[in-house]
Amino acid sequence: MFKKILIANRGEIALRIIRACRELGVETIAVYSEADEQSLHVQLADGAICIGPASSPESYLRAERIIAAAEIADVDAIHPGYGFLSEDPAFAEQCEECRIKFIGPRSESIRRMGDKATARETVRAVGVPTVPGSKGAVADPQEASHIAEQIGFPVIVKAVAGGGGRGMRLAHNPMSFQKEFAAASAEAEKAFGNGAVYIEKFIEEPRHIEFQILADEEGRVLHLGERDCSIQRRHQKVIEESPSPFMTPELREEMGRAAVKAAEACQYRNAGTVEFLVDRHRNFYFIEMNTRIQVEHPVTEEVTGIDLIKEQFRIASGEPLGLTQEEVQIKGHAIECRVCAENPSMNFAPSPGEISLYFPPGGHGIRVDSHVYGGYTVPKFYDSMIAKVISVGCDREAAIARMNRSLREYLIRGVFTNIPFARSIINDPEFVRGRFTTRFVEEFLQRTPKSLFEPPTHL
Ligand code: ADP
């Protein structure tokens, strides 16, 4: 096992990694921007190095500063967390060149799966079903139009470098196609510095179901079951759960096998996620692979009893997987709500500022992964997620009841949060029935009086 590692991230995931390291007896070095000096990850790590000003392009995205910090601190490995540099193949490559172990897959796998058009082709070649669409990226608008007609409308135009729901546009008909094609490409260029886009058939009312996989350095791959992430707003996940209420044992086996095949196709190592869309007839289609730990990993941990971050360290240090596919058991049900400092009555605008009062929920079956505390100032520079509440119960009904009561207990003053919004979803009869698709939030917002999830006007 490693002796000392550096965490190239901030927020709750930095804390999550520090906690796993403490239990493994691994020393931790945090990096931080000037805006994060008071952050818990800085206080809890064994050492901390400032890597620049608040804005992430000047700090958390500066590969050379992070590598320099790693060399000064003389660490064996770097854990990238999620976001920031976690899916940057050049960063993984630099780590490899400096003989610092990157806790994740090899740079070639990140590069291959990071280009979503290449990822599609890679898994299609080994027989994993993909959404019907263009073969690779399409640059010429006329050719794109022709391909869209062949696929049949509606189609979705997606950025090959996409992530976080950006650079994605729906076109219902040939008339609107050119406009959406140009818009997706422009948005992708702005967000990722790469305007390349591809085209997929738009699957009507699908569920988003993803599989957690683990692969050791010998190339043995396991899956740890699925997460249902259909509760999304603007293609971004809000609530996730495991197992999926839509899943059957047969479908799990079939999709799990496909996920393992997808990972094998890119010689995957370490923890990763294979994402699928599933239509109402239970046909499933690969959409992308995330080559890192994900925000929603705790729901898998809660139902499998496997600590995914520790597994990442064990795998990276060369240990073989300690269990077989048959030994992976899914027990009970877990739900995660992402808590964000944002105002649902102001179209979910971020709400940074000082948290004046903070009381997190607790009790049996509740886990809160968060980096905030009373007196902490949520900086305006980063993602607005400030906590994840994870409830676990013997079944879905128990997990829902627990989530409901914990969101009621959760007290955060000083900033607006989406807690009332998450609670009204958790209490929604359609959600409780488990009959939802990726359109759930959109429909929910249309049919639900705003007053039900508006935060209090006074903080
Ligand atoms: P990103 O990398 O930006 O997260 P994904 O490819 O993972 O993009 O897609 C995010 C979400 O967008 C999906 O969970 C789904 O809700 C929607 N989506 C993506 N592709 C399609 C499609 N072909 N048909 C219908 N919905 C889609």
Side-chain angles (χ1 to χ4, degrees), residues 147 319 428:
I147 294 170
E319 281 182 40
D428 184 78

Side-chain angles (χ1 to χ4, degrees), residues 116 131 156 158 162-166 168 200-203 206 208 232 235 275 277 287-288 438:
K116 291 164 77 172
V131 184
I156 187 161
K158 296 168 77 170
R166 283 169 305 169
M168 204 183 300
E200 266 181 4
K201 171 105 190 135
F202 181 68
I203 308 288
H208 173 117
Q232 313 176 340
H235 307 302
E275 298 192 335
L277 291 181
I287 46 170
E288 69 163 335
T438 55

Side-chain angles (χ1 to χ4, degrees), residues 9-302:
N9 217 302
R10 63 178 301 281
E12 70 83 23
I13 193 65
L15 231 68
R16 171 74 189 86
I17 298 163
I18 292 171
R19 286 174 171 150
C21 287
R22 279 271 146 79
E23 293 175 22
L24 287 169
V26 175
E27 221 183 298
T28 52
I29 300 294
V31 292
Y32 64 99
S33 74
E34 285 163 9
D36 275 341
E37 219 175 320
Q38 300 305 318
S39 238
L40 268 189
H41 80 282
V42 177
Q43 296 173 43
L44 290 187
D46 298 305
I49 297 174
C50 183
I51 47 163
S55 97
S56 33
E58 295 285 315
S59 50
Y60 297 105
L61 288 169
R62 277 282 178 101
E64 76 281 7
R65 290 195 184 163
I66 291 170
I67 301 267
E71 288 191 320
I72 290 166
D74 193 24
V75 300
D76 313 314
I78 294 183
H79 195 307
Y82 52 69
F84 296 128
L85 294 169
S86 62
E87 288 180 291
D88 181 342
F91 179 62
E93 216 160 61
Q94 271 172 277
C95 292
E96 285 160 14
E97 280 162 12
C98 297
R99 306 205 174 279
I100 299 169
K101 181 71 181 175
F102 177 81
I103 313 286
R106 288 172 305 184
S107 53
E108 302 126 66
S109 310
I110 304 179
R111 187 164 282 120
R112 177 162 284 266
M113 298 321 248
D115 179 308
K116 291 164 77 172
T118 313
R120 272 167 57 87
E121 295 311 313
T122 304
V123 306
R124 214 160 64 95
V126 294
V128 174
T130 55
V131 184
S134 62
K135 202 167 180 289
V138 194
D140 176 48
Q142 289 315 315
E143 188 196 344
S145 208
H146 184 66
I147 294 170
E149 297 262 9
Q150 274 179 337
I151 297 167
F153 286 95
V155 299
I156 187 161
V157 184
K158 296 168 77 170
V160 301
R166 283 169 305 169
M168 204 183 300
R169 288 295 168 98
L170 177 61
H172 288 282
N173 51 54
M175 279 80 74
S176 64
F177 180 80
Q178 288 299 337
K179 190 174 123 246
E180 303 301 346
F181 182 80
S185 180
E187 197 178 306
E189 181 65 51
K190 194 159 166 252
F192 314 110
N194 175 359
V197 293
Y198 63 109
I199 306 161
E200 266 181 4
K201 171 105 190 135
F202 181 68
I203 308 288
E204 311 256 6
E205 314 207 342
R207 295 186 82 119
H208 173 117
I209 298 181
E210 59 186 34
F211 275 70
Q212 177 68 51
I213 65 112
L214 282 179
D216 64 19
E217 300 276 310
E218 248 91 80
R220 241 187 80 227
V221 189
L222 282 181
H223 77 80
L224 304 187
E226 79 282 2
R227 295 185 284 260
D228 194 316
C229 309
S230 303
I231 309 295
Q232 313 176 340
R233 197 180 76 84
R234 297 192 171 160
H235 307 302
Q236 284 196 40
K237 299 159 189 169
V238 182
I239 297 175
E240 305 97 344
E241 61 184 298
S242 183
S244 165
F246 191 65
M247 194 48 74
T248 62
E250 296 74 34
L251 184 62
R252 179 175 298 123
E253 208 178 308
E254 203 186 336
M255 289 181 74
R257 249 200 321 265
V260 167
K261 245 198 231 174
E264 285 168 350
C266 64
Q267 284 92 48
Y268 201 79
R269 302 291 180 263
N270 218 285
T273 298
V274 184
E275 298 192 335
F276 297 97
L277 291 181
V278 185
D279 71 15
R280 75 187 76 158
H281 308 294
R282 291 197 165 80
N283 296 309
F284 64 90
Y285 309 93
F286 168 94
I287 46 170
E288 69 163 335
M289 178 162 193
N290 288 134
T291 55
R292 55 168 161 81
I293 193 74
Q294 280 188 288
V295 174
E296 58 272 25
H297 76 273
V299 294
T300 299
E301 296 186 320
E302 295 304 325

